[in-house]
Structure formats: C-alpha cells, structure tokens
Amino acid sequence: MEDTFDSAEYLNMELMRFTTAGSVDDGKSTLIGRLLYDSKSIYEDQYEAIRKTSEQKGEEYVNLALLTDGLRAEREQGITIDVAYRYFSTPRRKFIIADTPGHIQYTRNMVTGASSANLALILVDARHGVAEQTRRHAIIASLLQIPHVVICVNKMDLVNFDKKVFEDIENDFRKFASKLDVKDVRFIPISALMGDNVVDRSTKTPWYEGPTLLYLLETVHIASDSNHIDCRFPVQYVIRPQSSEYHDYRGYAGRIAGGVFKKGDKVMALPSGFTTRIKSIDTYDGSLNEAFAPMSVTITLEDEIDISRGDMIVRENNLPTSGQDLEVMVCWLTDKPLQLGGKYAIKHTTRNARCVIKEVKYKLNINTLHRNEEDSSIGLNDIARISIRTTTPLFYDSYRRNRNTGSLIIIDEATNVTVGAAMII
Amino acid sequence: MDYNLNHLKELEAESIYVIREVAAEFQNPAILFSGGKDSILLTHLARKAFFPAKIPFPLVHIDTGHNFEETITFRDELVEEIGARLIVGSVQDAINAGRSTEEKGINASRNGLQTLTLLETIEANKIDAAMGGARRDEEKARAKERFFSHRDEFGQWDPKNQRPELWNIFNARKGFGEHFRVFPISNWTELDVWQYIHMEGIKLPNLYFSHKRSVFLRDDVWYAETEFMERKDSEVLVDKIVRFRTIGDATCTGATLSEAGTLEEIIQEVASSRVTERGGRSDDKRSETAMEDRKKAGYF
Ligand SMILES: Nc1nc2c(ncn2[C@@H]2O[C@H](COP(=O)(O)OP(=O)(O)OP(=O)(O)O)[C@@H](O)[C@H]2O)c(=O)[nH]1
Ligand SMILES: [Mg+2]
C-alpha cells in the first residue's frame, strides 16, 4: 500500500458498476475474490476468516469465493444464492461489483444485480463452453442494454491454457451474439483460481495479446450512462416547509432522469400540460444554474400549477411518449406464470399504477433466439414480448433511449412481490 | 461543460433519492439513529433531501443503557439543531418490565436485547419503514441486502428469498403488520463516508478522534473502562491514546490505538488500514454468521 493516500485524486474518481454472469460453478465468485485479493482490496481479518473456513472444510486452496458467498446457506452449498455487492477502487475508478448467482433458480437475483450495471463479466467454463445459462445471461445483459460485455473464458488451467479451446469458445459466442444487441464484446482467457490474466498478466498465455481484466475494467470507456439530451424530471415529493421564512415555498423534489435543466427554462408539467418557467433549482448547498441526470434536486416554478408525485416536468419541445398502451420485453421472475388478462400493480419512475396483460406477442427461445408466437405460456425465467394497458397514462421513452423512463416493474397484487422486469420498446 | 458527477456526488444523489422515496411511499417512516458516523451521515443526507423543509419523520434511538456519555450528548444536540422528533426505545425499560432478560457473565452484552426493543419500538410507533445507516461493505451478510428490505410480521429477514430489486424502482408494497428496513447509504464504503464527512464539514462525536482513555485488553481488542463492563483480574486498566472506528454499545465496541486527531489523519489511517472497521466488534465475533443470524431475527 502507498504511504499517503491522495484525497484530491479520490474525489475525482469515476464510478463504475459491473456485474458477473454465467452458468453455475463457472467461477464468478472466485473471480471476484481473486480480483479483490490481487488488487489488495481485502483486509487481513477477512482473509484470515476465509482461510480458516477453507482449512476446516479441507479445501486445497483458500476459497476466494467465500468473500462474496456470505450467507450460511451459500457457504454450506458452495453456490451463490443472492447478489453480493463488493467495492474496490484503483486510483482511476471506484467499482461497485454485483456478484450474481448462476443457478437458474436464482435468475431473478442475477437480473437484480445486472439491472444497474455498466459492464457485465460473463464467465464460461473452458471445459464446457457456452451453456444454456450463459446464453440466457447474455440475452438478459443485452435486453438490459449493458453497454459492455466481457466474456471471461475461465478455468484455462484445466485445459492447459490451450489457445484453440479459447478461440472455439470465442467463435461460438460471437455467432450467437451477432443476433443480440450488444455492441462491445471482448474475450479474455483467465484462471480465476490461479489468477492468470486477472490482475497480473499470465506467462502461460503468450498467444493472448489483449489486456488483463483489471486493466480493461479501469480503461473501458464508460461514456456517462445517463441521457443528457431528453429532459425528464419525475416528481418524487413536494416540499412545503411549514415555516415563516419559506411560507410560500413549493418545491418539486426528484432525481433528474434525463437531460439538463436550466434556471429560466420553459417547461411543461405532465399530465396537466401547463407550461411555465423554472424559477430556481435548489439544493441544500445553494441554488444552481443548471442540473443534469442523475442529480437529486428541488425545482421551483414561476407559476403555481398543480403538480404532485408521479407527474413529470419536461421541455415543451421534447416530450416523452404518453399513453396507456405499452409494448414491453419482460423477464418473468416468479414461479406463478404470467396471467394473460390478469391485473397487476406496476411502478414506473415515481408513478404507481395498475395494468392488465393484453397480449403475449412472442416468447423467446433462449437457445435459438427464435421468437415463438404460438407460445403464450410465460413462466419463471422466460423472456417475452407482451403488451399491457395501464390504468393511467405513463410518460415514457423507449428503454434503449433512457433506462430510467423506459423501465417498469410488475408486481403481484396478492403477494406484493415483484414478478416482472419490463423494458419498454 | 461535461456533465459528470464524481463518485461521491453520485452516491449522495442516490441516497437522497432513496430517502425521498421512503418519505413518499410510507405513512410512518423513521431513521434509526445510533449516534455513530453512519447514522449521522444518513441524518445529514435526510436534511439535504427535504431542504428547506425539516426532516418529515422522527429519529429513533434504541438505547441499550450502555452508552458512551458523548453519544447521548451529541444525539440531543443534533436533534435540537435540526428540530427533529426523537423516539427512544429503552432496553433498560424492557429489562425492568421483565420483557427482556440480561445476559450474564463476563462477556455479557445487550446487543441481542436491542433486537427485541427495536421490534417493540417499531410496533408501538407503527413505523412502516425504518431507515438505517448500514453499508454493504461492512459485513458479508450486509453485502446481500437490498435498499428496500422487506420484513415479515415478526420483523424477520429472509435472505434466501429476497424480492428482486430492479434498476432504482423500489417496490414498497407490503402486507398488514409487515415493515421495511431501508438502507440509503448501502453503496458507500467506509472511506467514502470519511471523505464525505470531511468534504461537507459534518460534526461528529469526539470519540472518533484520538484521545487519552483508560482501557483494558480482552481477546486482542481494547475496551474502554466503563461501569457496564466487568473485568477479570488479569485485565488491567492502562491509559492509551485511542479513537473509535465505529461506535455502538460501549460493551461491544473496541477502540483503535491511534494518534489520528483530525479528519485528514483519519482518512489516511482508514485508507492504509489492513483490518475492517468491524474487526473491533465483539458482537460479530460470536460466530461466523453472527450478523446474518441477528439480522434474520430483526436486528439492524
Ligand atoms: N481449476 C479451476 N477451478 C476454478 C476456477 N475458478 C473457479 N474454480 C472452481 O470452481 C468452483 C465454483 O466456483 P465459484 O466461484 O463458486 O462459481 P460461481 O460461478 O460463483 O458459482 P455460482 O455463483 O453458484 O453460480 C469452485 O470449486 C472453484 O474453486 C479456475 O480458474 N480453475
Ligand atoms: Mg458465485
């Protein structure tokens, strides 16, 4: 560790969120453990604890997966059940890692971890190649519009670091991915167990000329994930101080979901359609001349118009789509199948509403990507295109254009559980 | 102008968003205020979230009765300054009323009893969302927690069956008698917290800064001399220059030997530390999954 820590540098770091994905036992948790260990982000007491546990279990190596597999059941079964979040930073970046489960039963937790990621590490066991679950996770990553995907061909130590094995998997995956919507795909041969090409370059893969995984994570261009073009401000909460100093204050608090708002801007409130100007953009630290996604601010307006939670403030010349009939891609996350004609609660930005499932357009075949229009039975882990009708109009953009205004969740009204992740087309 | 937030500003924006979402979605939320730096940070962020209005919900302190005096003084001054309402759930009251039974012996701690009083306080005040300053980087079971963490009617957490939590859309629906625990600073690390406290000039109790204190050594951890802890004959008191890295109940929070007397020095110390901040917490040392077990039962 360096002697002095540079605070100025620390305050200048970018935030990158990445997720692991891939089939069960392909080595995701081991890889995250290796990344943390080799980048010296593990504390001595943490290492000591997992060393002891590994020893007690009679394992040959210190099991680095125990750094993320923190639940009792996970440690007993040696698998990941739910997402673990881990953090580390290098001088350039702060990383938020979501280590997700590969087991098909816990796909909903993989979707949870992946939904906010800038980058996905998809692991493939070099001995087994691309599996159904690898494909499922790749499809989910593409649906979620994760901008960067890195295919880590793992356990290269078990195939003698054979170049051909790596290349075959690369070709196999590329063939499949050409039908997917992923722009930036890269491939790295690694051994999570031994550390090859994770933080340090391997001497056993002279044929590989690309970067190590850590180098890639530090340098891949994460053009700000936020949309800074379309102004979208979903009103979260109305601030009315009960004090004499701020007697007439009425501020609309929220997190900017897209675009840049400036003081004096002419804006429109939806659904009312009234227009006015931005009087001030307030924060605890003072008023701002402009604010952009993903900042949390409070906006006051020149005119008194009726605005409440769930409404949206936008620019008049750049309106979101507004309507009650939506087409979405949905990942179904629960055992109980989707009910055609059934009613569900939904939440979109800050708006709670209900919907009815009007139609299943098609179900996606995970292996062939074939769109099966005949099959409308949507069960656990299925991915489908459906159309819904909502009780009140939503103000939305396509998910491709804006992740914040293009996503919604579907909730079972009887159990209150989130059952569907939906991306608006 | 490039529209980029640095990582601390992005974390701040995320936390404020979560806090506002709680205020909007629940009838009767509260902040669980322990007097430690994380709940002080959380309270600071809540002030920011509702400015220029006051924080629209109370602070709840679960008082084990085994506090450092500084914690209580600090709590009362803060509540006064921000004009918030304070609810105190007292472990001592629960013991006096016979609802809780004190642990016995040299390692006795009221840590476990806190859970019961916490759940009673939540129920008595009909709190439907209790916000805490827990962070995922603190402990391996916490690393698994959602922002909006659902609790059943017994206050229990079911880690094997958590609801999906997609993007930043939080599902706040629940059945009768159930509640949520919400963790707005989930994604902050210890170093982030210190950097931000420094950047914002947030006031902290003096316990966090190095000072001379009478302490004794037990299981490699330095504990402060207090009236609440029995000592064995072999555990002799010595004066040391120490500070606390976390502040909880005085009987389970260890002190760190440290000369760090300013925030700059603390940041340097935290950045170069090789052990976790909870390394000095005896409540976590009781077993490998001590935190998970306590959380399942309804602990913070
Ligand atoms: N030989 C070898 N074994 C590995 C490597 N990476 C992981 N393993 C082993 O593969 C097994 C599974 O590893 P995990 O890291 O738990 O796999 P995972 O992908 O996280 O599994 P789930 O989270 O349950 O989907 C463990 O026994 C690891 O030690 C590797 O590079 N080489
Ligand atoms: Mg795993």
Side-chain angles (χ1 to χ4, degrees), chain A residues 236-267:
Chain A
Q236 214 185 343
Y237 189 86
V238 182
I239 293 181
R240 304 254 9 217
Q242 308 294 325
S243 67
S244 45
E245 190 186 348
Y246 293 100
H247 190 76
D248 294 322
Y249 189 94
R250 181 196 287 266
Y252 303 103
R255 189 174 191 189
I256 299 173
V260 181
F261 286 86
K262 296 191 172 73
K263 188 178 166 183
D265 273 355
K266 203 167 172 207
V267 291

Side-chain angles (χ1 to χ4, degrees), chain A residues 3 7 27 33 44 51 85 94 101 103 128 168 176 206 242 247 257 310 328 332 350 358 368 379 400:
Chain A
D3 292 325
S7 274
E44 282 165 7
R51 196 194 55 76
Y85 294 92
K94 160 157 174 164
H103 199 292
H128 306 150
D168 286 349
F176 174 74
Q242 308 294 325
H247 190 76
V328 303
W332 200 248
T350 56
K358 300 291 278 187
T368 60
R400 298 198 56 155

Side-chain angles (χ1 to χ4, degrees), chain A residues 220-235:
Chain A
V220 66
H221 181 66
I222 39 169
S224 165
D225 218 13
S226 295
N227 169 324
H228 289 133
I229 298 160
D230 313 308
C231 293
R232 306 285 185 259
F233 187 75
V235 175

